[in-house]
Structures are given as C-alpha cells and as structure tokens.
C-alpha cells in the first residue's frame, strides 16, 4: 500500500521559516520524482517545486526562498520554506510520480496546512 504522509505544517509569522516533510512507504523511492504542490484557500492547486535525478525546479513565486531536497535513505522529501509571506498560506501536498522501474504511476499525500500570519 502506497502512502505519502506530509508533516511539519503549522502557523508561522511573516518572515519566518518552516520545513515540511513527505515520508513515503510502499514505493521504491529512488524511482520517483517528488514534487510539492500547494492550494491556497479558494484557489487552484499549483506546483511549487520538484526534485528528480538530482535536479530541482521551482515556481517563480518561491525561487530563492524555498528549497526542495530528498533523503533517499529515509524515503523522505522535504520542503524548506524561508522568508514566508502571507500569500504562502495554503495546504501543501506531496506528489510522487514514477520515472523508472515498476509501481504505481502517481500518488498524492493528504496535505499539511501552512498558515503565515501575524
């Protein structure tokens, strides 16, 4: 059974930092590209960052503030968020897309809420 479990969300003041985690099970983690999406209140879900085969890509709105990285030994990916702004408030979702080998092609986590407010 594939599971992606996000954690680490919470309330943070503008300018603060937060790290969210995506812990996976049921997949060969190395065979998957991991990405973070977010869905602000009342808006569409949007991509934030992706890490695959050592390369990373970021949405323009988070470049220079967010960093995505993965620990393959722990089957876990992270999103380090710095200099947070109120507009970063959203539910953050982890997504795993298979890029090699066999297994489920695409899976999402349940999300973790990040609120940036004073």
């Amino acid at each position: 059974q594939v599971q992606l479990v996000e954690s680490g969300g919470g309330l943070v003041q503008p300018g603060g930092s937060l790290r969210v985690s995506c812990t996976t099970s049921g997949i060969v983690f190395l065979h998957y590209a991991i990405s973070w999406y977010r869905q602000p209140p009342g808006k569409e879900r949007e991509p934030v960052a992706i890490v695959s085969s050592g390369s990373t890509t970021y949405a323009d709105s988070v470049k220079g503030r967010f960093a995505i990285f993965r620990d393959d030994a722990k089957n876990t990916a992270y999103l380090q968020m710095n200099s947070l702004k109120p507009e970063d408030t959203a539910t953050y979702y982890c997504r795993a897309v298979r890029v090699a080998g066999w297994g489920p092609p695409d899976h999402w986590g349940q999300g973790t809420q990040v609120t940036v407010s004073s």
Side-chain angles (χ1 to χ4, degrees):
Q1 181 182 358
V2 180
Q3 281 193 311
L4 275 65
V5 180
E6 299 95 335
S7 61
L11 174 64
V12 62
Q13 291 189 342
S17 296
L18 204 61
R19 179 182 293 182
V20 291
S21 303
C22 172
T23 301
T24 70
S25 59
I27 60 173
V28 180
F29 191 67
L30 280 171
H31 292 173
Y32 285 77
I34 303 297
S35 52
W36 286 94
Y37 285 69
R38 67 185 181 187
Q39 187 164 15
K43 296 185 179 181
E44 301 274 322
R45 192 174 297 189
E46 60 185 19
V48 174
I50 183 169
V51 57
S52 179
S53 301
S55 67
T56 57
T57 305
Y58 297 93
D60 288 344
S61 59
V62 306
K63 278 181 184 175
R65 300 189 297 121
F66 289 14
I68 186 172
F69 57 102
R70 57 193 292 165
D71 185 338
D72 291 340
K74 295 183 178 179
N75 296 336
T76 300
Y78 305 90
L79 184 69
Q80 176 68 41
M81 303 181 287
N82 300 323
S83 302
L84 282 161
K85 305 174 182 180
E87 52 263 44
D88 294 318
T89 294
T91 302
Y92 283 73
Y93 297 90
C94 175
R95 181 186 187 189
V97 176
R98 180 169 50 81
V99 296
W102 299 96
D106 192 351
H107 201 86
W108 291 83
Q110 294 301 306
T112 186
Q113 178 65 38
V114 172
T115 302
V116 184
S117 174
S118 55

